[in-house]
Amino acid sequence: MKILIATIDENIFLLKYYKKIFEKNHTKIKGVIIFPIKNKKISFFDFVRIQIKILGLYDFIKVGILILKNYIIKFMPSNEIITIKNLAKKYNIETYNFSSINSDEVLKLINKEKIDLVVCSINEIIKKEIFDNSRAIFINRHFGLLPKYKGVWPLYWALKNKEKKCGITFHTMTSEIDGGDIIKQKEVEIKKGDTYLSLTKKCFDMSYSMLNEIINDYESGNMSLIKQDNLKSTYFTHP
């Protein structure tokens, strides 16, 4: 079995997430593609504005301090692993920097390595041509209970709409945003006082075990898929 990771370069939640994934599956992972965290279609001003709206000013400052701390550590002698690239290096996993998930280089890598699963944490829509010209199954982790809350920032919208629960959905990817079949799904209770940041942590804490189960199920031939009911679908965009 061969796995390819395609991820944005986020080192607060995703670093811990991939650390647990790499620990159990590093011999199966044939590469990690790292993309910039900011979508090129969004200006820096809009990116910051959205982050403040999503997180709230207090949590935005809190996250900013963590990012600044990690940036400073990069230039200091330290054994602490603070980037996904360094984590991959620890497990002798090759890393790549490509401009887009839709680039020819990504497709060539998938086909050259005969990848079975492409595990994604990205902010791009994958074009139909990539799916059509690859044998791999692309998997996305979405913090919403699909088919509800498709689109971006599902945890923000769940809080704004005063939902009592949110959740994690792993699903196969298609050229439709958050389309494809559901592989695994778990509910997460939204408690009084929860914020976007606290819910994100809860969801990530549950996600790595779900992905490990999916990998095991695929390897044993027991991965099951559930079609989404599009009549129950809801979609949200940037706030």
Side-chain angles (χ1 to χ4, degrees):
M1 179 183 182
K2 296 182 179 181
I3 301 169
L4 181 67
I5 304 292
T7 180
I8 57 172
D9 194 13
E10 189 277 297
N11 299 314
I12 296 174
F13 292 109
L14 283 175
L15 182 64
K16 182 180 177 182
Y17 172 70
Y18 285 124
K19 183 177 181 182
K20 293 178 182 293
I21 300 303
F22 289 2
E23 281 173 359
K24 288 196 173 184
N25 303 287
H26 59 274
T27 58
K28 304 167 190 172
I29 298 171
K30 302 306 173 185
V32 179
I33 307 174
I34 302 172
F35 300 99
I37 190 170
K38 187 180 81 66
N39 191 316
K40 290 181 180 179
K41 294 181 180 179
I42 299 176
S43 69
F44 178 76
F45 174 80
D46 282 339
F47 178 77
V48 171
R49 177 187 62 79
I50 291 169
Q51 297 302 313
I52 293 174
K53 181 135 190 182
I54 296 293
L55 292 167
L57 185 58
Y58 176 77
D59 281 347
F60 175 79
I61 293 171
K62 189 176 176 181
V63 169
I65 290 170
L66 287 172
I67 292 171
L68 181 62
K69 177 187 172 185
N70 283 350
Y71 181 78
I72 292 170
I73 290 174
K74 280 184 183 181
F75 300 97
M76 298 175 65
S78 172
N79 292 322
E80 187 178 359
I81 294 175
I82 49 102
T83 67
I84 295 171
K85 185 174 183 177
N86 286 347
L87 178 66
K89 185 177 180 180
K90 175 186 174 183
Y91 288 101
N92 296 314
I93 300 170
E94 191 75 32
T95 59
Y96 305 87
N97 293 93
F98 296 134
S99 59
S100 169
I101 189 71
N102 295 303
S103 66
D104 291 339
E105 291 89 348
V106 172
L107 186 58
K108 286 176 183 176
L109 177 63
I110 292 169
N111 290 331
K112 177 185 175 184
E113 295 294 338
K114 298 180 180 178
I115 299 298
D116 298 299
L117 297 179
V118 181
V119 177
C120 297
S121 297
I122 58 177
N123 53 21
E124 270 191 286
I125 299 170
I126 302 176
K127 293 180 179 177
K128 186 175 182 294
E129 290 80 3
I130 300 293
F131 299 121
D132 289 346
N133 292 290
S134 164
R135 62 181 287 274
I137 297 173
F138 289 71
I139 294 176
N140 183 47
R141 168 191 40 77
H142 181 77
F143 287 164
L145 294 171
L146 296 178
K148 295 183 177 181
Y149 286 96
K150 291 182 179 181
V152 294
W153 312 111
L155 295 180
Y156 168 82
W157 291 113
L159 284 167
K160 187 174 179 62
N161 293 336
K162 301 188 185 321
E163 298 281 7
K164 294 182 179 179
K165 61 184 179 182
C166 56
I168 309 122
T169 304
F170 281 89
H171 64 96
T172 61
M173 298 175 75
T174 68
S175 51
E176 175 195 349
I177 296 173
D178 297 323
D181 298 333
I182 294 170
I183 307 171
K184 278 192 184 296
Q185 189 172 76
K186 284 188 179 180
E187 292 184 355
V188 176
E189 182 185 359
I190 299 177
K191 296 182 178 180
K192 186 178 179 181
D194 266 328
T195 64
Y196 180 86
L197 205 58
S198 67
L199 282 180
T200 301
K201 185 180 184 305
K202 282 184 188 180
C203 289
F204 267 114
D205 286 346
M206 294 174 65
S207 293
Y208 76 88
S209 59
M210 292 173 68
L211 181 55
N212 277 328
E213 288 171 11
I214 289 169
I215 292 169
N216 291 337
D217 287 347
Y218 180 89
E219 202 164 22
S220 62
N222 294 319
M223 191 174 84
S224 58
L225 303 174
I226 301 171
K227 294 283 184 187
Q228 292 194 47
D229 184 353
N230 288 327
L231 293 176
K232 296 179 180 179
S233 176
T234 59
Y235 178 83
F236 294 84
T237 185
H238 292 290

